[in-house]
Amino acid sequence: MSVAIRIQQVCKRFDATQALNAVDLEVAQGEFFGLLGPNGAGKTTLISALAGLTRPDSGSLSVMGYDVLTDYRAARRQLGVVPQELVFDPFFSVRETLQIQSGYFGISDNDDWIDEILENLDLTTKANANMRTLSGGMKRRVLVAQALVHRPPVIVLDEPTAGVDVELRQMLWRFIRRLNADGHTIVLTTHYLEEAESLCGRIAMLQGGRIVALDTTQNLLQRFSTHTLRLRCRGELPPAVALRAQQSGGWWSLPFDRFDEIEPLLAEIRNAGCAIDDLDVGKPDLEDVFIRVMHGQAH
Amino acid sequence: MMPRLHGAFFTLFYKEVLRFWKVASQTVGAPVMTAVLYLLIFSHALEGHVQIHGVSYTAFLIPGLVMMSVLQNAFANSSSSLIQSKVTGNIVFTLLAPISHHEFYAAYVLAAIVRGLMVGVGVLAVTMWFAPLQFIYPLWILLFAILGGGILGSLGVIAGIWAEKFDQLAAFQNFLIMPLTFLSGVFYSIASLPAFWQHVSHWNPVFYMIDGFRHGFFGVSDVSPWISLAVGGGCFSALAVLSLNLLSRGYKLRT
Ligand SMILES: Nc1ncnc2c1ncn2[C@@H]1O[C@H](COP(=O)(O)OP(=O)(O)OP(=O)(O)O)[C@@H](O)[C@H]1O
Ligand SMILES: [Mg+2]
């Protein structure tokens, strides 16, 4: 598998803040990769360094084998970045914005591809509208479109779904998934962890400028999360069970690893004279993993 | 409808021209109006009292006003475009693209020259009816207009990169650009100044641009147009080197 993104020992300091601390990361071509972390973890700084917007203090970065500093033109042609900030040029319409962006990449006749992008992002009816007149979510979609005009093999999206409504979020992901299926490498940051869980094959978690977890989504879920049995009941839980359980809002939560633990557990509760009113079984989820990793329970 | 946008440089240049052209009443119309007001006020006050280089005061004033408009608008174009892009954040679109610092610089300066020349032509077209004008050396006229636009356009690039807020840019404009252009012999011949101020004026590069420009109209000037060309060329080269250096380092653009 050849490498799409290679980040080696990258450090970046802003005054008192060590925004990136010896970050090493490789993303293979064709991956759908998630970059997660709390506010201020360094996700945007890492993306900026990759895009040449920020110069690292040390270390090196490359996109599709091109160094982002010494071979910046080639590297930038390989990369499409959707910035986190909602920026736009108020002088131009949506179509002009995309034509100009194409021109920056040396593409003079791009209208067919621009139409296709607009179609996929449900912007066709807004093609000739001035950028100023778009809603926030529409501006965000234009940012996505701008990142795609030059058909970059590597696409990095910094919180592309912030402020985008549910329907369009799904539309956007369908489009991005299709690009991924066509061979584009995708890197995304998001604070919607269900999104990352369902989309990303591999995930890196960043905290304080360091990578604190890096694995396939499957492995992370298995390593850091468990199933949970949640129930509501009348009467006292037997003391041995209550000891393992947590209560909130009238529900008891009991962690378990294997499904064959459930039957004996329920029998124990019934035998203690406690009647179960309601019950459900929760799967491990990324939110759980995230919280554990961030609180240092990672191994 | 967009023309074919060939290459990064041409696209950025075209975008910069389109940017001011979309609001031409502010970026071209208003400065023409300002220059005409200067002409009306000063020629009313001084016409008939003063003759310079053997021409009437109004005739003398017109090329000065034209050149001052070229210079101020060239500066305004590159500097305000850059600061707006920085403050609104959309500069990121050019920073993400494979645009070299040479292309970036050339596009901004060339667009600044285009804006300067358009305003200059506008001012000339309106004011030339107020006094009999000659156009003895049209090539000198064009050359100094382009060179002056290039110098102030480059200064605008530098100011736009350096300034982080609009008021810093306003300070640059009020304390450097305005004195340089106003005290450069637009409204008078420096030959009429006391020796000390004549000496000071010779340190002002804008003086040479105006003097050379005027030479193109009347064939007479305070200094030889070749000297003015050398001074202008030197200034332009120095500013170009400085701008390119700032851009190649990503000074205040790439953190
Ligand atoms: N230009 C800058 N100047 C000073 N400090 C900065 C700059 N950019 C980022 N930082 C700091 O670097 C750290 C990492 O910021 P970064 O934007 O990369 O976080 P993030 O992971 O993207 O957070 P979020 O989820 O909020 O977007 C923060 O402490 C931030 O304050
Ligand atoms: Mg961020």
Side-chain angles (χ1 to χ4, degrees):
Chain A
M1 206 47 151
S2 29
V3 177
I5 294 174
R6 176 171 282 141
I7 296 170
Q8 287 174 314
Q9 286 294 307
V10 167
C11 295
K12 178 70 186 180
R13 171 178 280 280
F14 293 111
D15 305 320
T17 315
Q18 191 71 42
L20 295 174
N21 199 340
V23 173
D24 276 308
L25 185 64
E26 274 188 16
V27 177
Q29 280 180 37
E31 271 198 86
F32 205 129
F33 190 89
L35 197 56
L36 305 184
N39 292 140
K43 304 180 295 293
T44 298
T45 307
L46 190 61
I47 292 171
S48 299
L50 196 64
L53 300 174
T54 288
R55 305 204 167 193
D57 301 331
S58 59
S60 68
L61 306 98
S62 67
V63 183
M64 301 294 278
Y66 300 105
D67 187 274
V68 303
L69 292 180
T70 57
D71 216 350
Y72 70 94
R73 275 172 182 264
R76 286 182 207 164
R77 282 208 177 83
Q78 310 297 316
L79 185 67
V81 177
V82 181
Q84 178 176 8
E85 301 291 333
L86 207 53
V87 293
F88 62 97
D89 195 326
F91 283 93
F92 302 109
S93 71
V94 173
R95 183 175 293 280
E96 286 171 334
T97 298
L98 298 178
Q99 285 169 329
I100 288 168
Q101 199 67 24
S102 305
Y104 290 159
F105 285 86
I107 309 165
S108 55
D109 181 10
N110 206 21
D111 282 332
D112 291 344
W113 176 233
I114 288 175
D115 286 335
E116 194 177 331
I117 300 173
L118 290 174
E119 182 72 40
N120 276 289
L121 293 168
D122 198 22
L123 283 168
T124 308
T125 57
K126 294 287 177 184
N128 297 314
N130 185 283
M131 287 299 300
R132 254 183 322 224
T133 67
L134 301 190
S135 74
M138 292 175 191
K139 287 189 186 115
R140 172 90 54 204
R141 281 181 271 149
V142 177
L143 280 183
V144 175
Q146 272 179 278
L148 300 178
V149 288
H150 57 295
R151 302 175 191 257
V154 182
I155 301 165
V156 180
L157 306 105
D158 199 350
E159 294 190 37
T161 47
V164 174
D165 70 46
V166 182
E167 203 173 323
L168 280 153
R169 216 144 74 198
Q170 294 186 345
M171 187 169 195
L172 176 67
W173 290 134
R174 257 201 312 280
F175 187 33
I176 301 291
R177 268 202 169 114
R178 210 184 79 210
L179 290 168
N180 182 237
D182 291 346
H184 293 263
T185 308
I186 312 287
V187 174
L188 101 98
T189 81
T190 180
H191 291 290
Y192 298 109
L193 297 178
E194 331 82 76
E195 241 171 46
E197 187 178 329
S198 69
L199 290 163
C200 300
R202 218 151 61 93
I203 283 172
M205 292 192 185
L206 225 61
Q207 185 181 35
R210 285 177 190 280
I211 292 188
V212 288
L214 172 65
D215 211 332
T216 62
T217 311
Q218 274 313 312
N219 285 348
L220 285 172
L221 288 172
Q222 275 167 18
R223 264 165 60 199
F224 297 116
S225 184
T226 52
H227 297 270
T228 325
L229 179 70
R230 291 174 8 109
L231 44 87
R232 233 174 28 182
C233 52
R234 268 170 292 133
E236 289 288 305
L237 280 184
V241 176
L243 214 59
R244 291 163 51 197
Q246 284 188 328
Q247 195 180 22
S248 77
W251 287 83
W252 291 96
S253 302
L254 281 154
F256 67 93
D257 290 323
R258 296 186 326 272
F259 281 96
D260 57 15
E261 294 171 34
I262 293 182
E263 264 187 45
L265 197 62
L266 292 178
E268 198 179 342
I269 292 169
R270 203 171 42 239
N271 292 340
C274 178
I276 295 171
D277 285 338
D278 202 351
L279 176 151
D280 75 45
V281 177
K283 281 197 184 141
D285 72 5
L286 201 58
E287 200 157 311
D288 200 14
V289 178
F290 186 81
I291 288 165
R292 286 186 189 216
V293 169
M294 291 308 147
H295 288 94
Q297 285 157 302
H299 318 291
Chain B
M1 202 52 214
M2 286 253 167
R4 292 247 160 157
L5 298 174
H6 286 290
F9 158 72
F10 180 75
T11 305
L12 188 54
F13 165 68
Y14 179 79
K15 187 212 85 171
E16 281 301 298
V17 171
L18 199 58
R19 193 195 69 88
F20 79 76
W21 190 243
K22 284 197 170 201
V23 286
S25 64
Q26 293 165 46
T27 53
V28 181
V32 171
M33 185 72 192
T34 308
V36 172
L37 287 176
Y38 276 125
L39 182 82
L40 292 176
I41 293 164
F42 280 88
S43 67
H44 173 75
L46 296 173
E47 180 69 31
H49 301 279
V50 192
Q51 270 222 340
I52 304 168
H53 294 315
V55 299
S56 77
Y57 179 72
T58 307
F60 172 85
L61 181 59
I62 289 170
L65 283 176
V66 170
M67 190 58 164
M68 187 177 82
S69 307
V70 171
L71 301 175
Q72 290 184 346
N73 284 281
F75 176 83
N77 203 65
S78 48
S79 63
S80 62
S81 176
L82 272 168
I83 190 101
Q84 274 179 25
S85 286
K86 276 171 41 173
V87 169
T88 59
N90 63 43
I91 188 110
V92 73
F93 301 130
T94 50
L95 299 179
L96 287 171
I99 302 175
S100 73
H101 58 283
H102 296 100
E103 290 170 320
F104 190 95
Y105 169 73
Y108 273 88
V109 172
L110 215 57
I113 293 174
V114 169
R115 158 111 170 254
L117 292 186
M118 285 176 91
V119 175
V121 167
V123 173
L124 188 62
V126 178
T127 55
M128 62 190 289
W129 312 104
F130 289 81
L133 269 192
Q134 299 158 281
F135 299 87
I136 293 181
Y137 302 116
L139 272 183
W140 276 130
I141 295 176
L142 192 64
L143 187 62
F144 278 106
I146 292 172
L147 188 58
I151 291 173
L152 272 287
S154 303
L155 263 178
V157 168
I158 293 166
I161 293 172
W162 166 79
E164 281 156 23
K165 292 179 262 165
F166 286 100
D167 49 337
Q168 287 174 327
L169 187 60
F172 201 99
Q173 189 142 19
N174 293 332
F175 294 105
L176 187 68
I177 304 304
M178 293 297 265
L180 281 182
T181 50
F182 273 108
L183 304 177
S184 60
V186 170
F187 299 102
Y188 49 81
S189 163
I190 65 152
S192 64
L193 291 176
F196 172 77
W197 289 108
Q198 278 194 37
H199 189 71
V200 171
S201 295
H202 279 102
W203 286 96
N204 178 359
V206 178
F207 154 73
Y208 295 90
M209 295 298 94
I210 303 228
D211 197 58
F213 188 68
R214 212 174 248 136
H215 184 89
F217 286 84
F218 305 122
V220 285
S221 49
D222 290 327
V223 302
S224 152
W226 294 102
I227 291 179
S228 296
L229 182 65
V231 173
C235 279
F236 177 69
S237 308
L239 292 170
V241 168
L242 177 57
S243 312
L244 287 170
N245 178 270
L246 295 179
L247 288 169
S248 71
R249 287 190 287 128
Y251 177 75
K252 290 206 179 182
L253 294 179
R254 301 181 193 272
T255 51

